[in-house]
Amino acid sequence: LHTNGLHTLQLRCNSLGDAELKALFDGLGSSAAPSLETLNLEDNDFGPAGAEALAAALRRGALPKLTMFSLGWNPSGSQGAAALAAQLRRLPELTTLLLINNEIGDEGVASLFANLGKDDFKTLERLYLSNNTFTDAGMVKIVAAIDAGGMPKGSTLFMSFNPASGSAAAAVQAALDK
């Protein structure tokens, strides 16, 4: 990863666990992978510890050009979402974020949307949160963030197949439509 010129890295379906993610991202700093735009880590086996290793690399500025980031189908849960939340929100060029089937509950959604600043998620166009475990309580957090201006105008949220009610999902859509 310590190279310029790499724009896409697909590491999906490799059974990468916490230790492998830590080994992959340890030591990456602002001089590493500055040209990487797409990172796909879907369908591996990392949990919260792997998410923390990834968050540490993001804190060091390792992936400043990332526009598409897919972390779906990993059991990182709410703890992993909390570990990554602050760093994901600040990626300066992120347009697409996939957090599908990550076992993210209400606490994880709250972490992603808590205290969004005017520059958080500023370029985000598509956020996929489908197939997680958040309920109406998580949807309320999303609505509050949208109402506070925390999501860019025109952005789309995909939230199907969560245990939240249809009326809570409709409230999120109504907030987005304002």
Side-chain angles (χ1 to χ4, degrees):
L1 290 180
H2 290 274
T3 181
N4 265 329
L6 181 66
H7 295 284
T8 300
L9 183 60
Q10 300 278 349
L11 293 173
R12 62 186 307 268
C13 302
N14 282 293
S15 299
L16 299 174
D18 293 330
E20 289 84 7
L21 237 58
K22 184 168 177 19
L24 184 64
F25 290 104
D26 263 3
L28 285 185
S30 59
S31 64
S35 60
L36 193 64
E37 297 170 359
T38 299
L39 179 57
N40 186 338
L41 296 171
E42 287 178 3
D43 204 9
N44 283 290
D45 294 322
F46 67 87
E52 179 52 50
L54 183 52
L58 293 173
R59 267 191 299 279
R60 293 187 299 269
L63 302 166
K65 300 281 187 192
L66 210 55
T67 61
M68 197 290 280
F69 199 8
S70 183
L71 299 165
W73 294 273
N74 286 290
S76 53
S78 289
Q79 189 178 351
L84 284 163
Q87 303 314 311
L88 292 174
R89 295 189 313 216
R90 292 186 184 104
L91 286 170
E93 298 186 31
L94 187 68
T95 60
T96 304
L97 177 60
L98 289 92
L99 297 170
I100 301 168
N101 199 21
N102 289 105
E103 302 173 13
I104 298 171
D106 295 327
E107 304 84 20
V109 168
S111 295
L112 284 171
F113 290 95
N115 303 315
L116 289 178
K118 68 177 182 71
D119 290 331
D120 291 345
F121 286 142
K122 69 180 179 180
T123 57
L124 193 66
E125 297 171 3
R126 291 169 299 283
L127 174 57
Y128 295 82
L129 291 169
S130 301
N131 291 62
N132 281 291
T133 61
F134 58 92
T135 66
D136 287 8
M139 294 288 199
V140 167
K141 297 290 186 184
I142 295 170
V143 169
I146 294 167
D147 287 346
M151 292 292 292
K153 296 231 183 280
S155 57
T156 304
L157 288 170
F158 299 90
M159 302 167 296
S160 56
F161 304 108
N162 281 290
S165 68
S167 60
V172 170
Q173 189 58 53
L176 284 170
D177 290 344
K178 284 185 198 173

